[in-house]
Amino acid sequence: MATDCGWQKLANNANNMEEKVCNCLMVLGPTAVGKTALAVKLADFFGGEIISADSRQVYRGLDIGSGKDLCEYELHDPERLIPYHLIDVTDLDTEYSVFDYQQSVYKVFPEIKSRNKAVVFCGGTGMYLDSIVRGYRLTTVPCNVELRNSLAGKTDSELAEYLADLKGGKLHNTTDTVERHRVLRAIEIEVYSRENPVEMSDDSAVPEINPFIIGTTFDRKTLRERIGTRLSARFQEDMIGEVSALHDKGVSWERLERLGLEYRFIAEYLQGKIAGQEELRQSLYIAIGQFAKRQETWFRRMEKQGTVIHWLPVENRFENAKQLIQTGIESGQIKL
């Protein structure tokens, strides 16, 4: 299993795939749109289990800030729990990569299928979802200390420019340039891929995963309102206390900042880098809104690359999703 050494994206075969029968469901969308609630209802109706696709909910201890609302998997009348996977699977002293996620899915997916259960992916981490949809071919990339040392004196903009040069002057994933450690890692991967060309790995251990994808979102104004409401609720749940407790248990400020959004801003606040709670709330609200916009951009890019996403209107989205899926099952396009 990969550690913080990460992964190298070698290739994918999505664009050349012929149309296949969908054998699972996927619910995606930006933050704060109620993806989990919809996925839970679909899993309950179609007799399934959920595989989470959230890059922070994989970590134990990240509960309030990551929105790990496990109570959403509990249904009533009658009382029952929808099984979920890839939540709380690792500790913060490791770096859980896309490679790790993909390998975990390749193990969990056939286990669920062996129980004759439907699989419902649910989440908003675009690269996690895309790695499954388009079948990224990944391999581990070792940390290059010498390279990192040589880049230590460069500014963030210089690093971004260097990465763009390595990629032929064009960055397809600008998420890599948002934080310094991501830029360094992207450079490391790009350099490794040039110096160590490898052959494709054997596909015999890779299960066939062809999701029928449901997209859900709100108009920009409503989404912003929902982000604000949820953020207020998390502060009331003592999100600041959660981050403080993590640091008290030995999690470094640097590690917390690398987790992004809530953990980054609250870590900065607790270090005195943000003046007060009002500034913290406003800065975080703006950052989460920008994050939601980047998520939507990622999903649009998936569509441009050939991924079919069935975007549903907000009104009666469970009923609409259920009808759409049932129609696919009856036509033979979906087999759960």
Side-chain angles (χ1 to χ4, degrees), residues 101-276:
Y101 179 76
Q102 191 185 57
Q103 295 303 304
S104 297
V105 168
Y106 289 167
K107 178 180 178 181
V108 169
F109 186 88
E111 289 178 354
I112 299 174
K113 285 290 190 177
S114 70
R115 294 191 290 273
N116 294 318
K117 297 289 186 178
V119 175
V120 182
F121 288 91
C122 175
T125 300
M127 191 169 285
Y128 277 18
L129 296 165
D130 201 32
S131 74
I132 300 304
V133 172
R134 299 203 294 134
Y136 289 4
R137 309 278 186 98
L138 305 174
T139 186
T140 55
V141 175
C143 300
N144 189 333
V145 177
E146 183 178 349
L147 174 64
R148 286 182 178 246
N149 288 339
S150 71
L151 299 172
K154 293 186 179 295
T155 64
D156 291 354
S157 59
E158 288 173 335
L159 288 175
E161 185 177 350
Y162 180 42
L163 177 60
D165 288 342
L166 286 172
K167 290 180 172 288
K170 195 169 185 179
L171 290 177
H172 298 286
N173 178 18
T174 55
T175 306
D176 282 338
T177 64
V178 175
E179 296 174 322
R180 186 178 180 88
H181 79 278
R182 290 185 179 275
V183 184
L184 287 169
R185 188 61 189 141
I187 291 173
E188 200 168 48
I189 292 169
E190 191 67 24
V191 169
Y192 183 90
S193 66
R194 288 165 176 257
E195 297 176 351
N196 301 275
V198 296
E199 296 181 0
M200 295 299 181
S201 58
D202 182 16
D203 287 338
S204 60
V206 178
E208 184 176 2
I209 303 177
N210 302 308
F212 182 84
I213 307 175
I214 300 291
T216 180
T217 190
F218 288 87
D219 63 83
R220 187 58 53 83
K221 180 176 181 295
T222 303
L223 182 57
R224 293 276 182 167
E225 291 173 351
R226 289 176 65 90
I227 288 172
T229 299
R230 191 179 68 170
L231 184 59
S232 295
R234 289 183 179 178
F235 274 112
Q236 290 176 359
E237 294 171 17
D238 197 18
M239 183 166 58
I240 294 176
E242 176 180 77
V243 179
S244 179
L246 287 168
H247 180 64
D248 289 343
K249 292 177 181 177
V251 182
S252 69
W253 292 129
E254 180 186 7
R255 179 70 178 102
L256 289 166
E257 290 176 10
R258 287 207 310 272
L259 293 167
L261 294 179
E262 293 88 350
Y263 296 97
R264 172 191 166 192
F265 281 86
I266 293 175
E268 292 178 349
Y269 164 75
L270 291 172
Q271 295 173 84
K273 297 178 181 179
I274 294 178

Side-chain angles (χ1 to χ4, degrees), residues 28 126 130 133 298-307 309:
L28 57 74
D130 201 32
V133 172
W298 184 286
F299 300 140
R300 286 196 296 271
R301 183 163 60 244
M302 288 175 64
E303 290 182 295
K304 289 179 180 178
Q305 293 172 334
T307 298
I309 301 176

